[in-house]
Amino acid sequence: MPDASDVTAAVLDDMREEGDELDLLVAGLSAQEWAAPTPAEGWTVAHQIAHLNWTDEVALVAATEPDAFAAEVEKALAAPETFVGEAAQEAVTALTPEALLVEWREGRARLQEALRAAPAGAKLPWYGPPMSVASMGTARLMETWAHGQDIADALGVTRKPTARLRHVARIGVRARDYAYLVRGLRPPGEQFRVELRSEDGESVVYGPEDAVQRVTGPLLDFCLLVTQRAHRDDLAVEAVGADAGRWLDIAQAFAGPAGPGRPRKDDR
């Protein structure tokens, strides 16, 4: 069984690679492309990068100044529906795309350094339950991939799925109960079986083999579902069992209020 420190290092390697891949996508954009609208209402490509930059900054505070992070939580509680968008808008207003890109790159590097320097077994505060360093790295990778998908959609780019998607799927599965609780619903008591297929034919599996409630489908589609980057009806993710079907309607891999999701393609 791999050592915990090796697992954490591998997650942080993947987190860095996800950021570097998105960096390549936006590095050569024109001013017009930075201002292109994305599927997130009111958000341009610049807003997406500004949000990732801001989230990296607060993650750095959580990793290096946990007591100070309490102030960030208070800001979120004071304006739970708007604080994320306001932070992105503030950065877009204050910075040129070139300056924003530099800030994001420097912030990613600082966060990598801080997470790798964190003590073994450290628990970092966050907007939900405290997280291990590996879980924080997984969350940052997931969000980078999800907002990168918004950017790719805005630019008309099709990204090649990578093995890093297994991290996105894992956090989506682990966040199952949170998706219920954030909506004031009681999570199911039983575990679900989740069986996903990667682009290269490999299986990614979670949950007991004999579970009655089951979810199957392509790994990419499941990741698009739990990050709410596509509507369930536009994806090849299938459920067996009423509880599994209900979960697919509300699944979200991210912390914070219940996401509105995306409309069906036919409704856009």
Side-chain angles (χ1 to χ4, degrees):
M1 186 172 181
D3 182 84
S5 62
D6 293 336
V7 171
T8 298
V11 169
L12 295 179
D13 286 345
D14 284 348
M15 170 188 157
R16 181 181 59 226
E17 289 178 11
E18 193 66 40
D20 289 347
E21 183 175 292
L22 180 55
D23 195 316
L24 288 174
L25 181 59
V26 301
L29 296 183
S30 65
Q32 183 177 5
E33 288 170 321
W34 276 99
T38 67
E41 185 176 356
W43 279 31
T44 65
V45 170
H47 283 92
Q48 299 284 352
I49 295 299
H51 172 68
L52 290 175
N53 181 53
W54 170 79
T55 318
D56 285 345
E57 289 177 351
V58 294
L60 181 62
V61 174
T64 59
E65 302 176 81
D67 291 339
F69 183 75
E72 298 297 333
V73 176
E74 290 178 4
K75 292 177 186 177
L77 292 174
E81 302 295 336
T82 60
F83 80 103
V84 169
E86 288 171 354
Q89 181 59 46
E90 182 179 340
V92 170
T93 302
L95 299 172
T96 65
E98 293 79 11
L100 177 58
L101 185 57
V102 169
E103 271 209 10
W104 179 50
R105 287 170 173 167
E106 293 177 348
R108 281 157 43 211
R110 288 193 297 270
L111 181 58
Q112 272 280 334
E113 182 178 356
L115 293 179
R116 290 180 186 276
K123 290 291 185 180
L124 309 180
W126 199 237
Y127 295 100
M131 292 196 284
S132 68
V133 173
S135 292
M136 177 66 82
T138 301
R140 297 307 310 127
L141 185 157
M142 176 273 295
E143 194 162 20
T144 301
W145 180 83
H147 288 279
Q149 186 63 45
D150 288 340
I151 292 171
D153 287 344
L155 300 174
V157 173
T158 300
R159 300 189 297 174
K160 181 177 175 56
T162 72
R164 297 188 297 273
L165 284 179
R166 68 187 186 277
H167 297 297
V168 181
R170 181 173 182 271
I171 200 170
V173 170
R174 290 173 63 87
R176 186 201 73 170
D177 288 1
Y178 179 81
Y180 285 87
L181 295 171
V182 78
R183 291 166 173 80
L185 303 173
R186 178 179 296 178
E190 62 184 300
Q191 296 185 59
F192 295 174
R193 176 73 166 184
V194 178
E195 299 178 347
L196 308 172
R197 302 180 307 278
S198 69
E199 288 281 314
D200 57 10
E202 292 188 6
S203 295
V204 179
V205 179
Y206 304 94
E209 189 173 359
D210 61 351
V212 174
Q213 305 291 324
R214 309 176 75 85
V215 170
T216 61
L219 175 61
L220 173 60
D221 283 21
F222 181 79
C223 292
L224 290 169
L225 179 78
V226 298
T227 58
Q228 298 189 355
R229 262 51 195 181
H231 193 279
R232 177 183 174 182
D233 290 353
D234 296 322
L235 301 170
V237 182
E238 299 180 355
V240 174
D243 286 343
R246 176 58 173 150
W247 176 44
L248 295 188
D249 287 333
I250 64 173
Q252 68 179 66
F254 47 88
R262 295 283 161 79
R264 298 175 182 87
K265 287 182 179 179
D266 291 344
D267 295 337
R268 295 175 191 170

